[in-house]
Amino acid sequence: MTYTPKSDFVAVMMERGFLADCTDYQGLDDALLQGVRPAYIGFDATAKSLHVGSLIQIMMLRWFQKTGHQPITLMGGGTTKVGDPSFRADERPLLTEAQIDDNIAGIKKVFSAYIDYDSDAPNKALMLNNAEWLDGLNYLEFLRDIGRHFSVNRMLSFESVKSRLDREQSLSFLEFNYMILQAYDFMELNNRYGCILQMGGSDQWGNIVNGIDLTRRTIDHEVYGLTSPLLTTSDGKKMGKTAEGAIWLNADMRSPYEFWQFWRNTTDADVGRFLKLYTELPVEECERIGALAGSEINEGKVILANEVTTLLHGAEAAAAAEATAREVFEKGGVGDDLPTLSLTTADLGDGISIVQLIVKSGLAKSGKDAKRLISENGAKIDDQPLTDAGLMIDAGALSSPIKLSAGKKRHALVRLDG
């Protein structure tokens, strides 16, 4: 669509490629011109860390605060007990309260790198947990006061639900209630904090629209919804997923070096787009770098990796990751910041197989994968081809650290720590 935004936030969303759809561009724009306004994004606690697929939403909250408004990060302590069925083929495994609380503690670590919760500014961010109001709901009152506003016919028409039913895949009554609970979140946040906007990925469109309708019907307040595109890389892969698994944001689940390396390995066609979405470089600079070709685009990927890693892990971690990458890839060295597997003599016993080391170091998911890597000449030990899947490593072999490699881009150190 052609729309000229008036507010700084909507302008940034459109210019940098964050915007998939909005329920009312004009209404949202006008509301954002009336002073500091709150907006929220919800994050269910299904794991101990968010992954790169959630980074676009985190950046939206960051830009919302940078343009003068108040971001709310809503932890799904309540909704995680149900599980969002949107575009899933099956029901999420149910987690215990202890697991959910543990996951929330892990997820919270990331947000403070991007969003300011501590200042005295009027747009200081809020971190809330929807268990605060969902856990105490009386079921019969909830059905009578809230459930009556929802049409089952309309809920079945949303693509997120319809696609599952069309494939004749079961949708439990528990999951079917998720969109009602998410709608209730929006109404509650508007009632308590004056929140006027819910944001999320485009797969959340139906849930967001339900929240807008409920808020209008129950308290007659005007609220808005805005969605970001569900990103895939230019080669069609889901953003944040690799052959080795999810690219987690928490440093204890994915090291700063591995995080940096993920962005350094971006395909040429994605560099400009990712610079706009995941860094704060001016749009013109993002476009200039994205248009580079040949060997020059590789330096553009280094800029991308440094900028994104600096936002999450800090400038020192980004610099250390770049130094390690240059040492490993350009000079054939070991690199101090490589992912490291530390073993003790007790771990080694009489010796440990190279296959086990490859798996333990994270370069293969299983012994079968490690053996295939070796048989296909994709493994190296100290930069030399590794051809013997039966090789045993003992304490003597680890008198100095050894470097294991899987292909050209993935490396790990193995060392003996007593």
Side-chain angles (χ1 to χ4, degrees), residues 43 57 72 115 146 160 206 251 286:
F43 299 87
Q57 274 79 49
I72 298 173
I115 302 164
I146 303 300
S160 58
C286 296

Side-chain angles (χ1 to χ4, degrees), residues 23 27-40 64 69-70 72 186 189-190 193-199 212 215 221-226:
T23 55
L28 175 60
D29 238 353
D30 290 343
L32 293 177
L33 293 173
Q34 295 171 18
V36 177
R37 308 307 296 268
Y40 90 98
F64 195 70
H69 299 287
Q70 182 180 41
I72 298 173
F186 199 176
L189 287 171
N190 179 261
Y193 301 97
C195 181
I196 64 159
L197 173 65
Q198 181 183 174
M199 301 184 286
I212 292 171
T215 305
H221 288 179
E222 193 71 23
V223 290
Y224 309 94
L226 183 151

Side-chain angles (χ1 to χ4, degrees), residues 282-300:
V283 170
E284 298 77 12
E285 180 68 359
C286 296
E287 292 174 345
R288 183 193 70 77
I289 295 171
L292 297 173
S295 60
E296 288 185 327
I297 194 64
N298 288 329
E299 286 307 309

Side-chain angles (χ1 to χ4, degrees), residues 300-319:
K301 294 176 185 180
V302 171
I303 293 171
L304 171 66
N306 281 337
E307 292 289 328
V308 181
T309 305
T310 295
L311 280 176
L312 177 58
H313 295 299
E316 287 187 13

